[in-house]
């Protein structure tokens, strides 16, 4: 197996792990709280959980990044998060659109999965070119 294919497979597996963590966190919030803005809060919480999970997995298994210290790791995480803002808009847009169009939890999650997949593909390119390349300098 060529290295690029192995890397792509690893990235997909890690993206699936982060996606499952995101959706599980969303489901937990909705189960615990059903009041005003429950969908928004669940998506926000799921996004935070998925972001941290994806950062930890990407830096270790995709980019083989080792921070020099906690401050360096913090700066890298901030840059990683900033690069994720546009991709989060894609993810949230798809999830909210599916919620609006279909009105069911299952379809909302499907929209989230589609949005996350598109977002992760875009995010990889941004991280490769800007986050871990700059962070390693």
């Amino acid at each position: 197996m060529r290295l690029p294919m192995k890397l792509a497979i690893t990235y997909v597996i890690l993206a699936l792990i982060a996606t499952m963590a995101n959706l599980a966190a969303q489901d937990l919030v909705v189960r615990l709280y059903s009041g005003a803005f429950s969908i928004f809060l669940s998506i926000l919480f799921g996004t935070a959980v998925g972001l941290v999970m994806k950062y930890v997995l990407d830096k270790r298994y995709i980019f083989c990044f080792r921070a020099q210290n906690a401050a360096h790791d913090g700066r890298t995480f901030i840059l990683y998060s900033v690069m994720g803002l546009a991709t989060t808009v894609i993810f949230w847009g798809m999830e909210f659109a599916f919620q609006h169009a279909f009105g069911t939890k299952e379809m909302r999650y499907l929209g989230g999965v589609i949005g996350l997949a598109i977002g992760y593909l875009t995010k990889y390119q941004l991280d490769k070119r800007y986050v871990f390349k700059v962070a390693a300098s």
Side-chain angles (χ1 to χ4, degrees):
M1 180 183 294
R2 297 183 326 224
L3 183 59
M5 181 58 75
K6 183 177 179 184
L7 182 66
I9 291 169
T10 302
Y11 191 81
V12 167
I13 291 168
L14 299 181
L16 287 172
I17 291 168
T19 298
M20 288 187 295
N22 181 319
L23 296 177
Q26 286 188 44
D27 192 57
L28 178 65
V29 169
V30 171
R31 288 175 190 267
L32 295 175
Y33 176 70
S34 61
F37 306 107
S38 62
I39 301 298
F40 176 77
L41 292 173
S42 73
I43 292 172
L44 184 66
F45 186 69
T47 299
V49 168
L51 173 69
V52 172
M53 173 80 73
K54 191 79 169 69
Y55 174 71
V56 169
L57 294 171
D58 280 356
K59 78 175 186 174
R60 177 165 183 167
Y61 297 106
I62 300 301
F63 299 104
C64 301
F65 173 77
R66 292 188 194 269
Q68 298 164 355
N69 52 44
H72 182 226
D73 197 33
R75 287 189 306 273
T76 304
F77 179 73
I78 289 169
L79 184 57
Y80 183 87
S81 299
V82 168
M83 291 295 163
L85 290 177
T87 60
T88 298
V89 169
I90 295 167
F91 155 50
W92 283 21
M94 291 294 285
E95 189 157 349
F96 281 121
F98 272 58
Q99 174 65 32
H100 180 72
F102 302 105
T104 67
K105 170 180 81 172
E106 294 79 13
M107 291 306 288
R108 183 178 78 245
Y109 289 158
L110 176 61
V113 168
I114 293 168
L116 281 169
I118 294 166
Y120 283 152
L121 289 171
T122 305
K123 182 106 173 60
Y124 171 77
Q125 293 301 321
L126 292 170
D127 293 339
K128 179 178 157 187
R129 291 183 180 139
Y130 303 109
V131 176
F132 293 103
K133 183 176 185 178
V134 171
S137 302

